Amino acid sequence: EVQLVESGGGLGQAGGSLRLSCAASGFTFDDYHIGWFRQAPGKEREGVSCISSSDATTYYAGSVKGRFTISSDNAKNTVFLQMNSLKPEDTAVYYCAPCYGLGYPVDEYDYWGQGTQVTVSS
C-alpha cells in the first residue's frame, strides 16, 4: 500500500523559512520522481517541485524557483522541501506524491498524502 506522510507545516512569517518532510512507503522509491504540490483555498492543486530519486535532478515551478529547495534521503525514503523567503501567496496545503512532471494533470495522480498546512503571514 502506497503511503505518503507529510509533516513540517505550520505558521511562518513573510521572509521566513519552513521545512517540510514527506515519508514515502509502499513503492520502490528509487524508481520514481517525487514531488511537492500545493493547493491554496479556492485554487487548483499545482506542482511546486519534483526530484528524481535516481540522480537528484530537480525541477521547480517558476513561482518558487530560487526560494524553495527540494532534496531527498533515499536511505529513509524521505523527501524534503526547504522553503525560504516565504510569501503570503505560499499559503496552501502542501502534498507530496510520485511526480510525473510539474505540468502533468494533477487529477490523474493516484496517490496523495493527507497534506500539511502552510500559512504565511504578512
Side-chain angles (χ1 to χ4, degrees):
E1 179 187 3
V2 173
Q3 287 194 324
L4 301 151
V5 180
E6 302 93 340
S7 61
L11 179 63
Q13 290 190 329
S17 299
L18 286 172
R19 180 178 168 89
L20 306 183
S21 299
C22 168
S25 62
F27 60 97
T28 305
F29 189 83
D30 292 354
D31 288 349
Y32 288 87
H33 289 56
I34 307 295
W36 284 97
F37 303 78
R38 67 186 181 186
Q39 188 164 18
K43 295 189 177 181
E44 293 187 352
R45 194 169 299 188
E46 62 177 0
V48 173
S49 181
C50 294
I51 184 168
S52 166
S53 298
S54 61
D55 66 9
T57 302
T58 58
Y59 308 87
Y60 296 96
S63 58
V64 306
K65 197 168 186 178
R67 301 189 297 121
F68 290 10
T69 302
I70 191 170
S71 61
S72 66
D73 182 341
N74 286 21
K76 297 182 178 180
N77 286 7
T78 301
V79 176
F80 306 97
L81 187 68
Q82 178 67 43
M83 305 188 296
N84 297 331
S85 302
L86 286 166
K87 301 178 180 181
E89 51 263 44
D90 295 321
T91 295
V93 179
Y94 284 71
Y95 303 87
C96 66
C99 178
Y100 302 106
L102 291 179
Y104 193 86
V106 293
D107 290 347
E108 297 190 18
Y109 280 77
D110 295 320
Y111 302 105
W112 297 103
Q114 84 287 350
T116 186
Q117 176 71 48
V118 170
T119 303
V120 182
S121 62
S122 57

